[in-house]
Amino acid sequence: MSGAVNAVYVSSVLGTRVAAESGGVLGRLRDLAVTSGDTYPPVTHLLIDGRGGGHRRVPWSSVTLFRPEIILVGSGGTLVRDDADQDDLLLRRDLLDKQIVDVDGARVVRVNDLRLEPTPGALHLRAADVGLSGMLRRLGFLGFAEHLLRLCGRTAPRTEIDWEYVQPLERRLHRLALTMTRDRLSEMHPADLAGIIAQLPHRTIPAVIGALDVEAAGEAIGELEPEMGGMVLSQLGAEHASDILEEMEPDEAADLLAEVDEGRANELLGLMDVEEADKVRELLEHEGDSAGGLMNNEYLALTPDMTAEQALRQVRASAGDMESIAYGYILDADGHPLGVLSLRELLLAAPTTPVSEVMSTGLKTVDIGAEPEDIYEIIVKYRLAAVPVLDAEGRMEGIVTADDVMQHFLPLTLRLRQFRASRRF
Amino acid sequence: MSDFRARPLAGGFSLRNILLFLSLLGPGIITANVDNDAGGIATYSLAGAHFGYSLLWLLLPTTAALVVVQEMCARMGAVTGKGLSDLIRESFGLKVTFYVMIALFLTNLGNTVSEFAGIAAGMELFGVSRFISVPLAAVAVWLLIVKGTYRLVEKIFLVACLVYVAYPVAAFLAGPDWSAVGRGLVLPETSVSPESLTMIVGLVGTTIAPWMQFYQQASVVEKGITRENYAFCRLDVIVGCVMAVAVAFFIVVACAATIHQQGLNIETAADAALALKPLVGEYASFLFAFGLCNASLFAACVLPLSTSYYICEGMGWELGVDKDFREAPQFFWLFTLSIVLGAGAILLPGAPLILVMYLSQVVNGMVLPFILVFMLLLVNDRRLMGEAVNGPVFNAVAWITVAVMIALTLLLTLDTISPGFLARWF
């Protein structure tokens, strides 16, 4: 095509009159179709609102003039009546005003406008305008605002995201796009990811979770409020959900499962690794505001006859799955705790010494029904990183970490900051 | 963590099951109850005091319309997982959204003023000066928003909803002629006058207010309700709407049985509370005033914050109570402006409070048809809603509501522009 101006904003061309070169107005520009896949997707078709309903598709190759005032279409092009454009990526329908996940800024932004740039023979989608200037342009106030700003000696700030960095998350899946590659998503801090997930519409959540590796997904879901997390879980396929649950801390997984429908919870537990599922099931039995509800049943258990070296080997083998390995607990054959060994003591002990010789006895423990206040008191008083939880028979059931107790006592303000980042009221 | 095997509505009437049930219910009941705010109570009181039982019949079609409208929002929230301003922005573009949001801000600002006016009037009945009650209330609202979580706020709200029991009690104490109430409820006999028409628009406008649709949909999304557990949500909406209208009914009855019967002239909800004292005793008067304070404070919490949320959401601005003025300037300015203007207007000497409260209800009625039209277009969009689009009955009821609201509003506007218009025609 010829006569293209430089950068064109979609908002300024939509609604433009489209005329045939041979004369006669065909209608107004309704939308532009692009191919996805390219870095800067080229426009393939114009969609023109004809008279009397329906619309026409005009291939880009027959466009001879493309300006915000008028668009001319040559005779060479075919004008087809066609409503089957479901598979096209349409700029107005699918991108304009929609949300984009800004991975860099860890937030969700809205596309206020789209910038197109002509190259010889083609028109490419170059950038998404997510800033105030795009909004003002859409509203028709940009000229006025720029004039005002010039009077103050300033220019309107531009916030555009180059299309190079924008990736549709999944083809045709509610058009959610990322401003960075998928790998970057898994690298984000779980709390930031949770903030983004909380802002997304339900239906797009599976796509985002699907773009994460299961571990990152588990961490991010664990950061959500259980209610929200349960909702997310119920949106995912059962296999996927159970894989994610396996990656999570058993206590967090239990919190989530407590929020979903019973049948669904049982289905997910059934799909999980038996050992992991048992831990979660056990935790599900306890009241939320008690030691049993706060505890985690993954901890480092040692037998009295182990040497320090064997114990360390045990640490290496199992620490990867655990939230906290500040201590190793020495248990008898029935599961009664005999003593405790901090990791530091274990490292300092001679390799051949049996752990029973270096362990500290007189273990501070809490009852499975203990109130958070009691747990807090013990943890603070004895400066523990975690406290063991015993059942009625004095057997060890799990540990409550200092983190978990602190979380419980976190002032409402802080909890709000962490979890309700930008939720609706 | 709660035991996942404890199911709502199964296993007896334990406290735990009731709490679980309440945790599933919520958005609909709260929305409908916030709806009985200061402006609402004032409007219902005036309707009863000036027109007796003769406008009661209006409550039945209004309930139907309210259920239909709120259910549509809840359904859209559950199916799309998006708020109403999100959907308006995504389907109708920025320009439309911008002007809808300006209208929403203005109507909600009017409503916020009326909430603080309600607090001022209600507390003055207890002998507390507005120069103490209003600033205190404004600060309390701030604190709740900064410190509270949605769950906490929702629980406080559910408790606040119980206070509405005050109105049925007041109505029974007033000892109305129940057969006259029944006649008023089923026999529409209203003389058409500018006053009664304004009152009808005000009544419908306060019962079905534009902010309610935004609030309802957002709280459904916020609660994470999805298509799968939507049945509960629908029940919640219906129960909430019926409750809201029942409260309205008792307010009208209480005022009709006493103030209207005696031929007294009142101008405010506070007047209504005062007027009840010699007629049915201290107790009813106290209940009425207490209900007014509760309702006003309740709504003063919800309106300013929700306004800023919906506007920022629609416009794509940063939002959230965890941010600060630098990170989310629009959000905080809108929120602060609402509270400062709302509370400040009340402290102006000689502020015409009743006019503000009443007008805000009428403005609600005027903005509503626009919101409803957008909602109807959205809820019937198959791309958005799939199989959950409206059925023919819902569409019919909703469109009739829209048509009636537009007609009433037009008549009212014409009468304002050219006084005596209605008198000439009816």
Side-chain angles (χ1 to χ4, degrees):
Chain A
M1 67 161 267
S2 62
V5 289
N6 283 329
V8 180
Y9 285 95
V10 165
S11 65
S12 63
V13 289
L14 290 176
T16 298
R17 263 184 313 135
V18 182
E21 242 183 357
S22 51
V25 175
L26 299 170
R28 290 189 178 271
L29 183 65
R30 176 209 279 202
D31 217 331
L32 296 158
V34 298
T35 51
S36 47
D38 294 80
T39 312
Y40 299 116
V43 171
T44 56
H45 287 88
L46 306 186
L47 266 71
I48 299 162
D49 267 326
R51 292 167 187 151
H55 56 267
R56 294 157 183 266
R57 285 160 63 95
V58 178
W60 181 252
S61 56
S62 66
V63 174
T64 54
L65 183 69
F66 190 82
R67 286 182 189 282
E69 305 80 40
I70 189 151
I71 295 168
L72 277 184
V73 177
S75 52
T78 45
L79 304 179
V80 202
R81 242 181 205 292
D82 177 6
D83 285 315
D85 53 8
Q86 291 291 318
D87 287 329
D88 288 331
L89 185 63
L90 299 184
L91 297 190
R92 172 192 250 171
R93 189 190 69 188
D94 301 330
L95 293 174
L96 203 58
D97 289 317
K98 302 297 185 284
Q99 291 176 316
I100 286 191
V101 176
D102 178 355
V103 174
D104 269 344
R107 63 202 179 118
V108 179
V109 292
R110 236 176 236 292
V111 179
N112 290 330
D113 211 341
L114 293 160
R115 181 156 57 88
L116 302 169
E117 239 171 55
T119 56
L123 183 66
H124 294 272
L125 176 55
R126 275 307 295 252
D129 188 331
V130 296
L132 187 63
S133 58
M135 196 176 279
L136 290 169
R137 191 183 313 111
R138 291 278 296 285
L139 293 171
F141 300 150
L142 187 61
F144 177 67
E146 279 179 338
H147 185 70
L148 274 186
L149 284 168
R150 253 198 309 279
L151 289 179
C152 316
R154 291 161 70 173
T155 52
R158 280 196 170 190
T159 320
E160 292 189 355
I161 297 171
D162 195 295
W163 204 261
E164 187 186 349
Y165 303 117
V166 180
Q167 301 197 333
L169 197 50
E170 201 164 299
R171 199 170 148 62
R172 303 224 353 95
L173 198 125
H174 307 291
R175 334 287 174 190
L176 191 73
L178 298 175
T179 59
M180 271 293 166
T181 60
R182 288 172 178 220
D183 327 343
R184 289 287 305 279
L185 207 57
S186 283
E187 288 166 19
M188 284 177 72
H189 191 280
D192 284 339
L193 259 177
I196 287 180
I197 291 169
Q199 289 177 61
L200 292 175
H202 301 167
R203 277 196 288 181
T204 44
I205 290 174
V208 174
I209 302 279
L212 299 169
D213 54 58
V214 274
E215 200 182 334
E219 284 175 7
I221 295 175
E223 290 283 333
L224 292 167
E225 285 269 89
E227 205 169 68
M228 182 82 192
M231 190 278 287
V232 169
L233 212 57
S234 62
Q235 298 280 299
L236 302 175
E239 286 286 345
H240 191 194
S242 66
D243 287 348
I244 291 173
L245 283 171
E246 276 178 29
E247 289 297 324
M248 298 177 70
E249 297 299 328
D251 58 336
E252 281 178 354
D255 284 351
L256 282 189
L257 286 172
E259 293 290 332
V260 305
D261 178 78
E262 183 187 348
R264 172 79 174 178
N266 282 328
E267 183 193 357
L268 294 178
L269 282 167
L271 286 169
M272 282 170 70
D273 176 66
V274 179
E275 200 181 319
E276 288 286 325
D278 281 344
K279 286 181 191 162
V280 176
R281 261 197 206 101
E282 203 181 303
L283 291 173
L284 273 169
E285 312 260 331
H286 304 292
E287 288 287 332
D289 282 351
S290 68
L294 288 171
M295 77 180 183
N296 202 329
N297 47 12
E298 282 179 335
Y299 55 90
L300 183 64
L302 306 170
T303 52
D305 54 338
M306 272 183 175
T307 63
E309 196 184 356
Q310 286 171 317
L312 276 173
R313 215 174 291 140
Q314 176 90 12
V315 171
R316 285 191 200 98
S318 54
D321 296 335
M322 287 178 198
E323 186 186 357
S324 163
I325 47 149
Y327 306 109
Y329 298 96
I330 293 95
L331 307 180
D332 69 12
D334 290 332
H336 298 285
L338 301 171
V340 63
L341 203 52
S342 75
L343 213 55
R344 195 172 67 123
E345 288 166 325
L346 189 58
L347 285 168
L348 291 175
T352 50
T353 326
V355 289
S356 54
E357 278 176 32
V358 279
M359 72 182 184
S360 328
T361 50
L363 201 56
K364 304 297 168 203
T365 61
V366 295
D367 208 56
I368 198 141
E371 301 281 317
E373 285 77 10
D374 307 331
I375 309 169
Y376 183 66
E377 197 187 326
I378 287 183
I379 280 185
V380 172
K381 188 171 173 191
Y382 301 102
R383 296 170 196 249
L384 300 173
V387 63
V389 179
L390 304 188
D391 67 9
E393 278 83 49
R395 280 190 294 264
M396 186 152 164
E397 285 281 333
I399 54 170
V400 177
T401 64
D403 275 358
D404 289 340
V405 177
M406 271 195 273
Q407 197 77 32
H408 186 89
F409 285 103
L410 204 58
L412 283 175
T413 340
L414 274 174
R415 259 196 264 178
L416 181 76
R417 282 187 190 178
Q418 287 192 345
F419 298 124
R420 287 286 153 180
S422 37
R423 298 302 303 148
R424 304 165 183 90
F425 190 69
Chain B
M1 171 191 356
S2 54
D3 185 352
F4 74 101
R5 279 166 298 193
R7 302 295 302 146
L9 306 178
F13 224 66
S14 66
L15 178 65
R16 182 194 197 107
N17 278 359
I18 293 169
L19 287 177
L20 266 167
F21 183 68
L22 282 180
S23 80
L24 269 166
L25 301 188
I29 289 180
I30 290 174
T31 311
N33 279 292
V34 178
D35 180 36
N36 285 323
D37 58 356
I41 293 172
T43 311
Y44 303 135
S45 306
L46 294 182
H50 292 177
F51 298 94
Y53 306 122
S54 71
L55 286 179
L56 277 179
W57 61 271
L58 196 60
L59 294 180
L60 293 179
T62 307
T63 314
L66 183 63
V67 169
V68 166
V69 170
Q70 295 303 100
E71 194 277 341
M72 285 185 345
C73 292
R75 181 150 37 98
M76 280 199 280
V79 172
T80 65
K82 294 183 192 182
L84 188 54
S85 50
D86 270 330
L87 291 182
I88 291 179
R89 169 77 190 263
E90 292 187 1
S91 298
F92 303 110
L94 179 61
K95 229 176 205 160
V96 166
T97 312
F98 182 71
Y99 293 109
V100 167
M101 292 302 140
I102 286 184
L104 189 69
F105 180 73
L106 291 179
T107 60
N108 284 6
L109 186 62
N111 289 334
T112 307
V113 172
S114 80
E115 308 316 342
F116 282 107
I119 292 168
M123 291 308 287
E124 271 168 9
L125 288 174
F126 293 109
V128 180
S129 156
R130 69 175 57 179
F131 293 98
I132 294 169
S133 62
V134 170
L136 267 183
V139 171
V141 169
W142 249 102
L143 286 180
L144 184 66
I145 293 335
V146 176
K147 297 245 177 208
T149 64
Y150 177 78
R151 283 175 160 197
L152 173 78
V153 171
E154 196 184 72
K155 264 156 210 150
I156 293 177
F157 284 1
L158 278 171
V159 172
C161 289
L162 297 178
V163 178
Y164 287 100
V165 174
Y167 290 108
V169 174
F172 278 101
L173 287 176
D177 171 2
W178 289 108
S179 67
V181 171
R183 263 198 312 281
L185 203 50
V186 289
L187 294 176
E189 40 171 312
T190 309
S191 60
V192 178
S193 66
E195 292 77 29
S196 66
L197 205 65
T198 309
M199 180 54 79
I200 289 174
V201 175
L203 267 179
V204 180
T206 190
T207 311
I208 312 176
W211 65 264
M212 290 173 67
Q213 287 91 60
F214 290 89
Y215 187 78
Q216 172 84 59
Q217 192 165 336
S219 33
V220 165
V221 173
E222 167 70 20
K223 268 194 94 95
I225 290 165
T226 55
R227 207 190 275 259
E228 292 76 38
N229 47 19
Y230 177 63
F232 265 119
C233 180
R234 176 176 287 191
L235 178 67
D236 170 50
V237 170
I238 295 171
V239 171
C241 292
V242 172
M243 263 175 78
V245 180
V247 168
F249 167 81
F250 285 114
I251 296 174
V252 175
V253 167
C255 290
T258 51
I259 303 163
H260 183 69
Q261 217 79 29
Q262 299 279 321
L264 297 176
N265 195 22
I266 63 156
E267 288 194 327
T268 67
D271 285 351
L274 267 184
L276 289 176
K277 196 185 285 184
L279 301 171
V280 279
E282 191 96 29
Y283 196 49
S285 173
F286 168 78
L287 276 179
F288 212 87
F290 182 59
L292 177 64
C293 290
N294 173 66
S296 307
L297 195 58
F298 191 17
C301 293
V302 173
L303 280 178
L305 189 69
S306 59
T307 312
S308 351
Y309 264 100
Y310 313 143
I311 293 179
C312 289
E313 200 166 78
M315 303 304 286
W317 289 328
E318 282 283 291
L319 55 84
V321 283
D322 61 318
K323 310 265 166 46
D324 58 30
F325 271 91
R326 202 168 30 78
E327 290 170 311
Q330 297 91 348
F331 177 79
F332 275 90
W333 278 117
L334 285 169
F335 176 51
T336 311
L337 212 64
S338 295
I339 290 191
V340 169
L341 290 181
I346 306 309
L347 300 178
L348 285 179
L353 296 191
I354 185 60
L355 191 69
V356 168
M357 286 162 82
Y358 193 55
L359 273 183
S360 76
Q361 299 311 316
V362 178
V363 175
N364 273 341
M366 291 176 168
V367 176
L368 183 68
F370 296 96
I371 306 286
L372 292 184
V373 169
F374 288 126
M375 278 175 52
L376 273 163
L377 294 175
L378 288 169
V379 83
N380 284 307
D381 183 348
R382 256 177 210 281
R383 286 177 60 88
L384 217 54
M385 299 292 290
E387 290 307 299
V389 290
N390 258 5
V393 176
F394 263 64
N395 271 337
V397 175
W399 280 115
I400 289 170
T401 307
V402 173
V404 170
M405 288 306 295
I406 291 175
L408 287 175
T409 309
L410 269 180
L411 283 174
L412 187 64
T413 314
L414 281 175
D415 193 67
T416 316
I417 298 167
S418 138
F421 173 84
L422 285 170
R424 273 201 302 281
W425 284 89
F426 296 101

